[in-house]
Amino acid sequence: MQRTYLAFQHNAKLHTLQTVVTAVRSVAALEEANKGLFKQAQENDHVVVTEQTIFHPQGGGQPSDVGVMKSSDGASFDVAMVRISAVNDGEVLHFGRFSTPSSIFKPGDTITQTIDIEKRNLYSRYHTAGHVLGAAVRHLLEKEVANFDELKASHFPDSAACEFQGLIEGKWKDAIQARVDEYVNKDMPVEIDWWDESDFQANGLERLIPDRKAMGMTDDEKFRVVKIIGAETYPCGGTHVDSTQGCGKTNVKKISRAKGTSRVSYVLP
């Protein structure tokens, strides 16, 4: 099965895209591993696979886009969740429901994808804000906290947080907030680039080199990175705003600690 071309990674400004359907499956006919991705599924739900997609699949801490796909003959498919296949490397599964059960797509159909722009913008703001927070904490505490490192993050609006190795005391909350405010107010450009291993090495960021084989990438493919100019660079497949000011006010909620790690949560108004 061919990998789905992730059009949003190359042009995040695309809100509609015309592409071709390669497969339509009922959820009941999916492999067990893929059924597990859509636990809320009902009998009349389907999964649609296309050659390209502007829908960001859930992953990398970012929620999936939602929206609609329509064909020229009037068939319409409401996209409720998007995931990467657990079975076929790089295949994107668009999960949802046809508005008319008797009118569904078939392989070879040309369809138009349209994402929910408001949700995309919200998720992009949260994702960029998470990287701003990560950069702020690193620059403040890398030399202050024993065994410090950035671990993972959630950019879901109801549970947004960055996790770090090492114990970050509550006394740092105000300083973290001040540094986040500084980065947001500086209106730092946020740029997408494509790097290979030598680019990470040239920028002193060997610690961030992703696992090419684990990602199912060929030797000549480059890794997508997001650069917050003046702050940090991160390997990232998600969507972002154009500058840090686009995040809006980013409020540091609280710092919690457990088992040698710290979690700094945040929220956008």
Side-chain angles (χ1 to χ4, degrees), residues 14-61:
L14 287 174
H15 296 143
T16 65
L17 176 73
Q18 193 172 86
T19 186
V20 175
V21 174
T22 57
V24 180
R25 307 176 197 139
S26 69
V27 171
L30 290 177
E31 306 88 345
E32 287 302 318
N34 279 333
K35 280 183 187 174
L37 299 175
F38 308 110
K39 295 188 170 107
Q40 74 275 41
Q42 298 181 16
E43 284 185 11
N44 55 342
D45 291 335
H46 285 77
V47 161
V48 174
V49 182
T50 53
E51 288 181 358
Q52 304 185 38
T53 188
I54 54 168
F55 287 85
H56 181 285
Q58 180 177 312

Side-chain angles (χ1 to χ4, degrees), residues 20-181:
V20 175
V21 174
T22 57
V24 180
R25 307 176 197 139
S26 69
V27 171
L30 290 177
E31 306 88 345
E32 287 302 318
N34 279 333
K35 280 183 187 174
L37 299 175
F38 308 110
K39 295 188 170 107
Q40 74 275 41
Q42 298 181 16
E43 284 185 11
N44 55 342
D45 291 335
H46 285 77
V47 161
V48 174
V49 182
T50 53
E51 288 181 358
Q52 304 185 38
T53 188
I54 54 168
F55 287 85
H56 181 285
Q58 180 177 312
Q62 182 171 331
S64 89
D65 283 322
V66 296
V68 67
M69 299 187 198
K70 293 185 177 182
S71 65
S72 58
D73 64 4
S76 180
F77 181 74
D78 290 319
V79 180
M81 167 74 77
V82 186
R83 300 293 298 269
I84 295 285
S85 171
V87 176
N88 298 315
D89 277 350
E91 182 184 58
V92 174
L93 307 177
H94 305 84
F95 163 80
R97 188 171 299 175
F98 287 97
S99 55
T100 304
S102 61
S103 179
I104 69 172
F105 306 148
K106 60 185 185 299
D109 283 355
T110 296
I111 55 94
T112 299
Q113 300 177 337
T114 304
I115 59 169
D116 182 320
I117 299 172
E118 281 191 21
K119 285 190 175 176
R120 160 66 71 81
N121 289 342
L122 178 64
Y123 299 157
S124 298
R125 289 175 58 219
Y126 262 94
H127 202 147
T128 304
H131 287 321
V132 169
L133 174 60
V137 174
R138 173 172 287 280
H139 293 171
L140 271 174
L141 302 180
E142 190 171 20
K143 294 182 173 62
E144 301 285 343
V145 173
N147 303 314
F148 177 89
D149 201 1
E150 293 176 73
L151 298 177
K152 60 182 181 178
S154 167
H155 310 298
F156 282 68
D158 59 353
S159 59
C162 297
E163 293 188 21
F164 305 90
Q165 186 172 294
L167 297 177
I168 300 174
E169 297 177 42
K171 69 179 184 181
W172 289 106
K173 182 173 180 286
D174 288 347
I176 293 170
Q177 182 68 68
R179 185 65 65 95
V180 168
D181 290 345

